[in-house]
Amino acid sequence: MLKHYDHSKAETKWRKFWEAKKLYKTDLQDSTKPKYYNLVMFPYPSGDKLHIGHWYSYAPADSWGRYMRMKGFNVFQPIGFDAFGLPAENYAIKTGVHPAQTTKTNIAYMRKQLKAMGAFWDWDAEVVTAEPDYYKWTQWVFLQLYKNGLVYRKTAPVNWCPSCKTVLANEQAQDGLCDRCDSEVTKKDLTQWFVNIKQYAQKLLDYKGLDWPEKTRLMQENWIGRSEGSEVDFEIQGYDKKITVYTTRIDTLYGATYMVLAPEHELIEKITTIENKKSVENYIKKTRKATDIERSAEDREKTGVFTGAYATNPVNGAKIPIWIADYVLVHYGTGAVMAVPAHDTRDFAFAKKYKLPIKEVISPINNSIKSTLPKAAFVDDGKLINSSEFGGTPSAQARLDITRFLDKKGLAKLKINYRLRDWLISRQRYWGAPIPIVYCDKCGEVAVAEKDLPVKLPMDIDFTPKGDGKSPLNTSKKFVTTKCPTCGGPATRETDTMDTFVCSSWYFLRYPCSQLEGKPFEEKMLSKWLPVDMYIGGPEHACMHLLYARFIHKAMHDLGYVKASEPFKRLVHQGMITKNGAKMSKSKGNVVSPDEFVKMYGSDVFRMYLMFMGPFTQGGDWNDKGIVGIKRFVEKFWRAMMEEVKDGEKIAPAIIHKTVKKVTEDIDAMHFNTAISALMALANEASGKVLSKDQKQVATRLIAPLAPHLAEEIWSKVGGKGSVFEESWPTYDSAQIVDDEITIAIQVNGRLRGTILIPKDLGKEAVLARAKAEENVKKYLAGQVVKEIYVPGKIVNLVVK
RNA sequence: GCCCGGGUGGUGGAAUGGUAGACACGCAGGACUUAAAAUCCUGUCUCAGCAAUGGGGUGAGGGUUCGAGUCCCUCCUCGGGCACCA
């Protein structure tokens, strides 16, 4: 037998074996075994290639898939590439290398890296979102949304870099600075495509049947931001229009002493009096010029301007001035609020600054709480005062009563509001899926016919920005010029492309259809394979990808394309791997590549080292100091299995059974780190001892999901047939785990004073007697024993006075 | 400001309310070797002690309990998310 395990030889050999046997490939039609859709968030083919963060996520995901396979599931584990997007395009602008070329090169390299991992990816199901046979269906999805009123076009402000004279995606305008030139980003109105995700806000708050981290659910709930309140109409004095406001505190209506409109509110122009016109115009101009940085500055002083107009408070007829201030947001609620300075922090600050009246209408409900007035707004619920017939009513009740009271006059109604905004999917960018819409002089806006998909992205194009804020596709006459699908007349194509999040919000529906010729939305197949049983990826996608994907999936469900109402039944986030405490990124120059470690130690050692670092969901800071420990373990395990010890001490069967139990429970909980410790303990225990062939095979099956190549090599040498992954997961006998003798800890007044070894079935009285007789314990029993506690099999605690 | 999640040896970390520090890394000593590497053995929270043993100890302070790293309250601190959302 070989003294050393040659990882590089073995890993190459077994990868070839798996490939030859197509062991990674899933028969998607199979119905003899329960299906298990095991998915990881597919990578972006960046210039950094795969880094150890990918490995940290993908390797355990593969271990999980292999484990489920051994547990008897028909596991489907696909992989692909999220290939459209800005980095490739920006790189192209800088270097002139076509994004298609960069993407192709990166994918080829990453594919090699992924293969070196030796994971059971079903490569036959691979998708690349930038390829026409994929984005054809991205466009198809768009058309389904379009035809069902879930996509619309409207003019909206977008990020604009005044220096580059170009539109920026949100991702390019982070922290209000332009990605390329660091100028401050401003807003510019452009006609854009939106997806009506808001329509699904309520449905997206339903997580029934989902096994998701609480944290992710909370993040999404927070993002969707449901709130219950009322809409109230205020008449404008001397003008035949009403202003509707949204409030969650209609109970404070009697305290409304002024009203505020967002600077973008449509009524401003009409209600502003002549003498205030100039100051109002100036104010609006100023806020429009303000950069995102200025607008979101912390503790920014409130500013505003009076319109000269007045509204009538619907409950008491009070005349209240109408102001404009940019602390009111146009996109939330109605873009107008009633201001109650006594009971709202922001209104309070504004009222103080502009010397507007503050009227107290809520007082604390009991005497133990004191109102914060007049120093600060009192924002808690309480009971109403100074509110005529509603005086004395508790806030919660008053909200219903006042709404109902005004509802009778048609002036108010209950209203649920969401913070979630519609999803802007237009990008004036080249490297994305073209939006399948054409504009015809006669017919207007027309959808491309499904049979004419894909609308191909032209390859020979000048993708440098022209400074007009338009998509580079505009420069391609060949692309722009087309015929109207309806009338056949001359038409022009939409030149915006789709946000890459559109491509990635449905890719999990593409994989299960991969074995069907060109039918990516076969209901039968999708209903068989969806939802994804396990979805593994980073928590940074909580409010973007994971929300978009749920939305698209629900829409497709409602349109009858898939039975499941949710895409991801179980979601697990791996922790983040940092380098010297910082997120790995090219700009920081701290990206660690897995390649050298894989080459030096092999895939098994590297993946186990990552898993051994700590709990999977925790992540950690990368350093390679401990990797030798795993290498030693692999060698030790190898030797323990290869050794033919004769006439030596036999390993206790209980140890094998205990290890099976521990490893099974740990992998079930995705505690790969402790599963590995348990196997280390087994290797330590087994060294130099006699193991039966059966015991060796059990141990080999246990390590298989964690160190697949090593396991195959050992399997072939301990009498195993075929692949160890065609074997079932080992089981244990609970009866074998119980030791005949157990150690009991003995405490006196909660302090450990000794341990005793007792037969496992010894009764309470006998255990207590033995405990008291223990030499060291005796010393502490001078006083009266007032209480005796015995936790069977664990501990004795004697309480002495 | 609001909502989450952490804080345990020199390091990564382990511990259904029941012997804190498993399993590793590192370090120290030893065996093997001419030597080194590899491997193996022993020790390794801290203080006192040759030892047996005892005191202290899981960010800080209180509390519940026979018993708290674990549960409750207050605070400190680090990480993540959201943030003028009426």
Side-chain angles (χ1 to χ4, degrees):
Chain A
M1 281 293 167
L2 289 164
K3 266 239 163 72
H4 291 284
Y5 171 61
D6 184 343
H7 68 80
S8 100
K9 236 180 176 170
E11 294 196 351
T12 313
K13 169 177 152 194
W14 290 105
R15 278 203 283 277
K16 267 189 194 149
F17 175 82
W18 294 331
E19 227 159 282
K21 280 194 86 171
K22 289 238 169 201
L23 224 57
Y24 59 79
K25 188 168 176 168
T26 311
D27 177 2
L28 294 168
Q29 303 284 359
D30 178 272
S31 54
T32 59
K33 285 183 277 185
K35 68 99 185 177
Y36 196 90
Y37 193 166
N38 188 43
L39 187 65
V40 293
M41 291 181 186
F42 63 169
Y44 175 77
S46 83
D48 289 343
K49 318 292 192 312
L50 278 201
H51 52 79
I52 54 173
H54 289 107
W55 267 76
Y56 186 78
S57 162
Y58 292 171
D62 176 59
S63 292
W64 177 257
R66 288 174 185 268
Y67 171 69
M68 293 311 283
R69 180 192 184 112
M70 291 177 81
K71 295 270 266 188
F73 291 90
N74 185 30
V75 176
F76 182 39
Q77 191 172 297
I79 189 86
F81 296 93
D82 187 13
F84 273 137
L86 285 167
E89 185 168 347
N90 288 344
Y91 184 77
I93 292 163
K94 213 162 71 187
T95 64
V97 181
H98 198 284
Q101 186 53 50
T102 321
T103 306
K104 199 179 146 194
T105 314
N106 290 345
I107 287 178
Y109 190 90
M110 287 171 76
R111 215 181 260 137
K112 242 193 233 165
Q113 288 180 302
L114 284 165
K115 291 199 170 175
M117 187 184 288
F120 269 168
W121 311 117
D122 188 342
W123 286 103
D124 299 342
E126 184 200 68
V127 302
V128 176
T129 59
E131 281 173 7
D133 73 340
Y134 182 91
Y135 70 68
K136 166 182 175 182
W137 296 102
T138 306
Q139 293 169 340
W140 182 87
V141 169
F142 174 93
L143 289 180
Q144 304 317 304
L145 300 176
Y146 182 77
K147 285 173 189 166
N148 290 281
L150 287 166
V151 185
Y152 63 91
R153 215 156 74 105
K154 80 163 189 206
T155 301
V158 293
N159 301 308
W160 175 258
C161 174
S163 156
C164 304
K165 287 192 174 19
T166 185
V167 163
L168 301 172
N170 283 330
E171 307 80 68
Q172 286 183 293
Q174 274 179 14
D175 307 317
L177 292 179
C178 173
D179 223 19
R180 261 179 288 155
C181 68
D182 276 349
S183 320
E184 290 190 4
V185 172
T186 56
K187 297 284 176 192
K188 184 179 171 135
D189 282 338
L190 271 185
T191 304
Q192 304 283 296
W193 286 97
F194 287 85
V195 172
N196 196 344
I197 191 170
K198 230 177 148 166
Q199 196 172 312
Y200 275 69
Q202 189 58 54
K203 281 188 178 178
L204 289 168
L205 284 169
D206 181 7
Y207 295 85
K208 225 184 292 137
L210 296 189
D211 183 2
W212 275 39
E214 180 83 354
K215 161 181 134 181
T216 313
R217 218 193 64 204
L218 286 169
M219 269 163 80
Q220 287 199 351
E221 278 174 3
N222 199 285
W223 186 263
I224 294 166
R226 182 184 199 269
S227 79
E228 290 177 10
S230 309
E231 273 185 1
V232 191
D233 291 342
F234 283 67
E235 274 176 24
I236 305 165
Q237 298 192 353
Y239 189 75
D240 188 25
K241 275 257 158 127
K242 286 171 184 166
I243 293 175
T244 305
V245 304
Y246 174 72
T247 178
T248 54
R249 291 300 302 275
I250 198 172
D251 54 313
T252 63
L253 183 53
Y254 284 84
T257 54
Y258 63 102
M259 176 181 258
V260 191
L261 306 182
E264 298 88 348
H265 199 281
E266 53 180 15
L267 285 178
I268 289 174
E269 211 179 310
K270 287 167 187 158
I271 64 167
T272 303
T273 57
I274 296 158
E275 51 274 25
N276 290 289
K277 208 168 188 99
K278 201 149 197 176
S279 55
V280 166
E281 274 172 5
N282 280 339
Y283 182 74
I284 292 172
K285 217 184 273 167
K286 219 167 69 196
T287 53
R288 272 194 72 82
K289 248 200 277 172
T291 60
D292 278 5
I293 291 193
E294 286 160 11
R295 284 194 98 166
S296 64
E298 233 173 290
D299 296 327
R300 179 172 179 237
E301 199 179 342
K302 304 234 172 334
T303 58
V305 64
F306 180 44
T307 60
Y310 290 87
T312 310
N313 187 330
V315 276
N316 58 8
K319 181 181 177 186
I320 60 175
I322 303 171
W323 284 67
I324 297 165
D326 66 359
Y327 79 87
V328 172
L329 308 170
V330 72
H331 53 75
Y332 184 78
T334 60
V337 303
M338 63 180 216
V340 185
H343 305 291
D344 181 277
T345 313
R346 296 150 300 181
D347 298 343
F348 185 88
F350 192 81
K352 280 279 180 196
K353 180 169 177 186
Y354 293 101
K355 304 204 167 47
L356 293 156
I358 297 170
K359 184 185 167 196
E360 183 182 14
V361 291
I362 302 288
S363 99
I365 206 127
N366 63 53
N367 297 327
S368 63
I369 302 163
K370 284 222 169 80
S371 177
T372 46
L373 287 166
K375 272 194 186 154
F378 177 64
V379 296
D380 294 346
D381 274 10
K383 60 176 189 255
L384 275 62
I385 56 172
N386 303 325
S387 300
S388 65
E389 71 249 52
F390 298 101
T393 314
S395 292
Q397 185 60 44
R399 287 195 274 270
L400 296 174
D401 290 353
I402 295 177
T403 307
R404 211 170 292 142
F405 171 76
L406 289 174
D407 194 7
K408 277 182 200 148
K409 301 179 184 173
L411 294 173
K413 60 177 192 286
L414 293 175
K415 167 88 182 176
I416 289 162
N417 240 314
Y418 300 93
R419 218 179 298 193
L420 183 70
R421 291 161 72 180
D422 277 345
W423 174 17
L424 194 166
I425 58 160
S426 298
R427 294 289 180 269
Q428 293 71 38
R429 284 301 190 146
Y430 167 64
W431 193 233
I435 293 173
I437 294 285
V438 302
Y439 304 101
C440 166
D441 285 343
K442 253 197 268 171
C443 315
E445 178 187 301
V446 183
V448 172
E450 284 180 23
K451 67 171 174 54
D452 293 333
L453 296 181
V455 175
K456 275 205 180 172
L457 189 67
M459 285 295 126
D460 56 335
I461 195 156
D462 172 15
F463 38 74
T464 54
K466 292 289 163 291
D468 55 2
K470 284 181 183 165
S471 163
L473 289 179
N474 262 296
T475 61
S476 171
K477 276 229 166 61
K478 232 165 81 187
F479 177 80
V480 174
T481 315
T482 186
K483 279 180 189 162
C484 172
T486 308
C487 69
T492 56
R493 283 193 193 282
E494 168 66 62
T495 54
D496 284 356
T497 54
M498 282 185 249
D499 180 8
T500 48
F501 277 112
V502 179
C503 308
S504 60
S505 62
W506 70 276
Y507 74 109
F508 46 88
L509 297 174
R510 177 67 162 136
Y511 290 132
C513 298
S514 57
Q515 291 175 8
L516 306 163
E517 266 298 306
K519 283 185 204 161
F521 279 86
E522 195 195 82
E523 195 272 338
K524 221 177 89 192
M525 209 55 169
L526 290 174
S527 294
K528 177 177 161 65
W529 281 96
L530 271 292
V532 169
D533 295 280
M534 170 65 90
Y535 195 31
I536 292 174
E540 67 273 19
H541 293 108
C543 297
M544 306 271 269
H545 164 65
L546 286 167
L547 200 61
Y548 298 148
R550 287 182 68 214
F551 162 72
I552 296 278
H553 187 93
K554 279 176 180 296
M556 296 318 277
H557 165 79
D558 289 348
L559 296 174
Y561 291 107
V562 56
K563 216 177 267 161
S565 64
E566 283 282 343
F568 315 121
K569 191 167 173 213
R570 184 167 176 201
L571 173 72
V572 173
H573 296 305
Q574 79 276 6
M576 194 180 45
I577 298 300
T578 54
K579 177 65 185 170
N580 300 325
K583 208 180 246 180
M584 286 188 201
S585 77
K586 202 169 200 170
S587 57
K588 286 196 200 91
N590 63 349
V591 178
V592 181
S593 167
D595 297 1
E596 51 168 321
F597 298 105
V598 175
K599 203 171 162 194
M600 186 156 14
Y601 298 101
S603 161
D604 289 343
V605 167
F606 188 59
R607 67 152 77 188
M608 276 200 286
Y609 179 57
L610 290 169
M611 289 193 262
F612 191 62
M613 272 174 71
F616 180 55
T617 53
Q618 187 183 292
D621 200 56
W622 170 257
N623 78 67
D624 57 10
K625 277 197 301 202
I627 198 163
V628 292
I630 301 291
K631 185 185 152 54
R632 283 178 200 155
F633 162 58
V634 163
E635 293 286 345
K636 193 182 254 187
F637 193 91
W638 166 263
R639 279 196 310 270
M641 294 302 127
M642 290 304 109
E643 270 169 349
E644 296 289 355
V645 182
K646 290 195 178 103
D647 308 320
E649 190 191 342
K650 284 184 183 162
I651 193 164
I655 287 172
I656 305 281
H657 285 274
K658 277 181 188 169
T659 308
V660 173
K661 181 172 194 275
K662 175 83 176 133
V663 172
T664 305
E665 286 170 357
D666 284 347
I667 296 183
D668 272 335
M670 300 195 104
H671 294 166
F672 303 107
N673 55 331
T674 48
I676 292 169
S677 326
L679 288 164
M680 285 174 168
L682 178 69
N684 292 341
E685 199 65 48
S687 289
K689 288 193 185 142
V690 179
L691 271 80
S692 70
K693 180 174 140 187
D694 187 57
Q695 287 174 322
K696 285 181 177 176
Q697 290 195 351
V698 168
T700 308
R701 283 186 283 158
L702 282 184
I703 206 172
L706 307 168
H709 309 86
L710 173 76
E712 290 281 35
E713 184 68 16
I714 297 174
W715 185 251
S716 70
K717 289 185 159 60
V718 295
K721 297 242 156 54
S723 166
V724 68
F725 297 101
E726 290 168 324
E727 297 295 315
S728 63
W729 187 249
T731 53
Y732 61 92
D733 179 0
S734 330
Q736 295 264 8
I737 286 173
V738 186
D739 293 317
D740 295 334
E741 288 199 306
I742 48 180
T743 306
I744 299 289
I746 301 160
Q747 296 182 337
V748 178
N749 291 344
R751 316 219 50 152
L752 184 72
R753 296 303 178 190
T755 57
I756 51 168
L757 198 64
I758 58 158
K760 66 167 190 267
D761 302 322
L762 200 63
K764 179 178 176 180
E765 291 311 316
V767 174
L768 288 174
R770 281 225 215 165
K772 287 181 204 162
E774 179 69 14
E775 262 327 296
N776 197 50
V777 174
K778 266 199 233 167
K779 292 192 285 193
Y780 298 91
L781 297 178
Q784 191 195 357
V785 178
V786 293
K787 200 163 184 182
E788 296 169 338
I789 289 141
Y790 174 50
V791 182
K794 289 260 162 75
I795 203 162
V796 167
N797 192 9
L798 304 167
V799 185
V800 176
K801 243 189 183 164

